[in-house]
Amino acid sequence: MATGDVSELLWRPALELAALVRAGEVSSRELVAASLERIEALDGRVGAFTVLDAERALDAAEAVAPGDARPFAGVPLAVKDLFAAVAGMRQSNGSSFAESVPTRDTAAVRRLKDAGFVIVGGTKSPELGILPVTEPRRFGPARNPWDLERTPGGSSGGSGAAVAAGMVPIAHGSDGGGSLRIPAACCGLVGLKPSRGRISHGPELGDSFLATDGVLTRTVADTAAALDVLAGYEPGDATWACPPREPFAAAATREPGRLRVALTLEPPFEMEVDPVQAAAAREAAELLASLGHEVVEATPPWRDPETFRVFTVLWAGLIGTSVGGLAARAGREPEPGELEPLSMELYRKGRETDAVAYLLAQARLQGLARRIVGFFAEHDVVLTPSLAQRPLPIGALDPCSADPWDDFRRSGQFMPFTAIVNVTGQPAIALPLQHGDDGLPLAVQLIGRPEDEATLLALGAQLEAARPWADRRPPLTAG
């Protein structure tokens, strides 16, 4: 098959590509070579990747033969360069401090490989995944393929940019405060944050109160099938989500039934919501009503003036733990200038916070989570804007500014609807239902009941059928 024809295939869903490889209509090597060629052609402008693993990717692709029954056999994939270890591939976590080459895969990466994916490289994250934009000092900004002067979001911004630009059909990411849903919203993709405990952090890490792995895709079906791959208990996990009643891929093919949907435009923090973002949510509510769902206006009890302060304590503790782990691996503390100013401030705050204060912060957030989850006794799904603002210009949030704490606070004004779902541990999905007059994607967020990704996937598939988005392409990729 001609290279141009194979490159065009990269816009197809990952499941379709695996079916073509299985049938012998295209080889995995052809797909991986086309992916690497697109990265070479576009990444100088987009800046999605921190590292490529071309030689090993081509070797792995050679081993994939027609008839391979694995669900994603031969499909090229990018992995977020943030604590997702790929054995033998450089890991930097967006930082100049404590770079390493892991000797074994994390559980999520191993599962992706076992499903047949071929890893082509690592994608950019902000340093330590802190900000909702992807502009690490070490590597420079990742840019939104829809507008190169705008952010693709963060912290999985490199993965979002890579999929939106057609470099790969699917990419790994993670979400500790919206880091899958924000890039999905900025780049016109599907981004599902799974339930807490759905995906293991093994083998080194234990439970995470906030963060989980996931993927960025163009279709709900790809997202569902990838969740089937990633989900499940790993030996040594202290807690885990209950297994689903049916495969997630099957849930994405069934009708969701009539659901009670609560529309809210009120974020958990006191701030303005861009009228364009609010209008998108209202239009999505009208679409849901036209599909037979009961839509009411109601807001979960998530307003608490102390939430941002308490969340900052918890986040600082997590960054402190992360940097402490990197320091232990390096055998030394970070030297001046090795961490960005915001990272260093959070690290210091984390080290200054005693264990009692940290546990009290987590307990307070758990109490808030109980109140919010109780709201779902009378509502199946909550519909919100995905973001409170349009995708930010490059440089709007600067972790190296003279006042990094101000940038950290202002980041909450960009994405107030996402982080609260990491606190509750519920599943949530960003769907690119519309396109704005500014030429950028316009998405909404659906929040589901605890451990009920199935309803979100079924509802997401219904919305996708009613308002298809997968064929949209950024002007950057024309020709």
Side-chain angles (χ1 to χ4, degrees):
M1 186 175 288
T3 301
D5 295 337
V6 178
S7 181
E8 185 68 17
L9 286 179
L10 293 174
W11 292 104
R12 304 273 287 276
L15 287 170
E16 289 187 19
L17 295 181
L20 292 174
V21 171
R22 196 173 299 118
E25 296 181 33
V26 67
S27 71
S28 176
R29 184 181 176 87
E30 287 176 311
L31 289 176
V32 170
S35 174
L36 293 169
E37 288 176 14
R38 284 190 65 82
I39 294 168
E40 182 180 0
L42 294 176
D43 204 44
R45 286 177 284 168
V46 176
F49 284 83
T50 63
V51 60
L52 290 179
D53 202 5
E55 185 175 340
R56 290 202 307 165
L58 290 169
D59 287 345
E62 286 282 7
V64 180
D68 194 317
R70 292 177 295 173
F72 291 103
V75 176
L77 170 90
V79 171
K80 180 180 179 181
D81 183 7
L82 184 73
F83 303 115
V86 179
M89 190 173 82
R90 187 190 72 199
Q91 183 181 60
S92 64
N93 305 307
S95 179
S96 299
F97 178 58
E99 179 183 291
S100 67
V101 178
T103 58
R104 63 176 175 176
D105 299 326
T106 53
V109 169
R110 189 197 74 239
R111 284 172 174 254
L112 292 168
K113 286 182 176 180
D114 288 347
F117 282 115
V118 177
I119 296 171
V120 297
T123 55
K124 284 182 188 174
S125 161
E127 185 170 81
L128 304 177
I130 295 171
L131 286 178
V133 298
T134 302
E135 301 172 31
R137 179 177 61 186
R138 177 177 178 183
F139 296 107
R143 297 176 181 272
N144 193 327
W146 290 96
D147 179 349
L148 294 177
E149 296 306 311
R150 301 269 183 164
T151 183
S155 63
S156 306
S159 289
V163 177
M167 298 178 189
V168 287
I170 183 173
H172 161 272
S174 57
D175 192 315
S179 294
L180 284 162
R181 291 158 287 154
I182 298 164
C186 290
C187 295
L189 305 172
V190 178
L192 172 72
K193 183 200 86 68
S195 297
R196 181 180 293 138
R198 179 68 70 197
I199 298 171
S200 174
H201 289 273
E204 274 84 14
L205 300 180
D207 297 344
S208 173
F209 182 63
L210 297 177
T212 181
D213 288 88
V215 292
L216 286 158
T217 73
R218 293 195 192 91
T219 69
V220 173
D222 274 359
T223 295
L227 184 57
D228 281 322
V229 166
L230 288 165
Y233 170 84
E234 288 283 330
D237 286 346
T239 59
W240 56 91
C242 295
R245 298 174 186 170
E246 62 180 341
F248 292 112
T253 66
R254 63 170 172 80
E255 289 295 315
R258 189 171 190 264
L259 301 174
R260 182 173 169 84
V261 179
L263 165 67
T264 181
L265 305 179
E266 297 181 25
F269 313 117
E270 190 76 39
M271 62 190 60
E272 293 292 325
V273 176
D274 188 306
V276 174
Q277 302 290 149
R282 287 201 177 278
E283 186 174 332
E286 292 172 3
L287 177 58
L288 286 165
S290 74
L291 294 170
H293 301 290
E294 179 187 2
V295 180
V296 298
E297 291 199 30
T299 300
W302 54 30
R303 279 283 175 94
D304 184 331
E306 286 292 292
T307 297
F308 189 80
R309 181 191 65 80
V310 176
F311 187 85
T312 301
V313 172
L314 190 68
W315 193 246
L318 293 172
I319 296 302
T321 301
S322 297
V323 176
L326 295 174
R329 188 170 68 194
R332 62 180 179 83
E333 289 290 301
E335 297 177 2
E338 281 192 297
L339 290 177
E340 295 171 356
L342 177 57
S343 304
M344 199 65 195
E345 286 297 311
L346 283 165
Y347 178 43
R348 286 173 182 152
K349 183 175 180 62
R351 294 196 62 172
E352 292 167 0
T353 302
D354 62 46
V356 172
Y358 180 82
L359 291 173
L360 282 173
Q362 183 166 312
R364 177 150 189 168
L365 290 175
Q366 286 174 332
L368 174 63
R370 290 185 187 279
R371 296 197 299 273
I372 295 170
V373 172
F375 178 83
F376 284 78
E378 298 181 0
H379 304 87
D380 300 297
V381 173
V382 169
L383 166 66
T384 77
S386 57
L387 303 170
Q389 301 171 355
R390 303 300 285 135
L392 297 175
I394 298 294
L397 295 176
D398 182 5
C400 301
S401 71
D403 186 358
W405 279 116
D406 179 62
D407 289 87
F408 185 73
R409 286 188 292 270
R410 287 190 295 110
S411 71
Q413 298 172 7
F414 176 46
M415 33 67 76
F417 293 100
T418 58
I420 196 69
V421 191
N422 297 81
V423 171
T424 66
Q426 295 167 262
I429 191 167
L431 300 173
L433 288 179
Q434 303 169 42
H435 222 74
D437 293 338
D438 55 7
L440 296 168
L442 192 53
V444 298
Q445 175 181 237
L446 299 174
I447 305 170
R449 288 173 170 164
E451 298 193 357
D452 192 13
E453 292 95 334
T455 294
L456 292 183
L457 292 166
L459 184 58
Q462 184 185 49
L463 289 168
E464 183 179 15
R467 189 75 59 79
W469 58 70
D471 290 336
R472 299 175 191 158
R473 300 188 191 182
L476 171 77
T477 64

